Amino acid sequence: MFKKKKPTAALTFIAQGTKLTGMTEFSGDALIGGELNGSVYSEANITIELNGCIQGEVKCHELKVAGFFNGKLACDKLIITGSGTLEGEISCTSMEIYDGGQFIGTRVKEQLMLLDSASRTADVAEGGQDCDFAEAAGA
């Protein structure tokens, strides 16, 4: 009747105007309002907000895209909202695309080989592109 609650990890928020590059690892849920470039890993959920952007490789439980994602993704559940755009190669068990959401890429059945290097080092391409919301929105 009186069970101990499992400790939950805190929510991480990357604010609009913040730009991070490299290997990023979240212990709990994450809200991305800024830009992440590189490799992102979470055992929990990641939400890319309306002005948020991730470019690179992502491995997480659930990814919700209201902003922009470009790269490779391995997750259990993918949700693309009406304002979201996802470009790239994905491997997911479940996928939802709301009216207005855009998926440009390939969905594969097999698990993508992401973030599986022994040291989990980030391979960030030199001269990587910045998030361009005007281009993503089709302007």
Side-chain angles (χ1 to χ4, degrees):
M1 182 170 166
F2 295 103
K3 293 182 181 179
K4 289 184 179 180
K5 288 187 175 182
K6 269 175 74 175
T8 58
L11 174 69
T12 301
F13 178 65
I14 307 296
Q16 186 175 354
T18 303
K19 186 175 185 177
L20 300 175
T21 301
M23 175 67 183
T24 308
E25 191 168 333
F26 300 110
S27 57
D29 291 347
L31 292 173
I32 311 301
E35 297 180 26
L36 287 179
N37 294 301
S39 299
V40 180
Y41 173 80
S42 175
E43 291 183 12
N45 304 329
I46 298 174
T47 300
I48 303 173
E49 295 185 329
L50 184 61
N51 292 315
C53 174
I54 296 179
Q55 293 205 47
E57 296 183 347
V58 173
K59 186 173 183 178
C60 63
H61 172 67
E62 176 181 299
L63 179 67
K64 183 175 184 180
V65 181
F68 181 72
F69 175 87
N70 184 351
K72 291 185 177 185
L73 168 68
C75 65
D76 292 328
K77 184 174 184 180
L78 170 64
I79 301 168
I80 303 173
T81 68
S83 62
T85 300
L86 185 141
E87 295 182 12
E89 185 176 4
I90 64 166
S91 171
C92 62
T93 306
S94 170
M95 182 174 175
E96 294 177 31
I97 304 175
Y98 288 82
D99 190 26
Q102 296 182 48
F103 171 60
I104 306 160
T106 305
R107 181 179 181 190
V108 296
K109 280 183 149 181
E110 65 275 357
Q111 185 72 17
L112 294 174
M113 298 304 289
L114 300 180
L115 310 175
D116 288 336
S117 63
S119 63
R120 280 197 182 173
T121 56
D123 287 330
V124 178
E126 289 184 25
Q129 297 178 341
D130 288 337
C131 296
D132 187 355
F133 296 106
E135 182 180 309

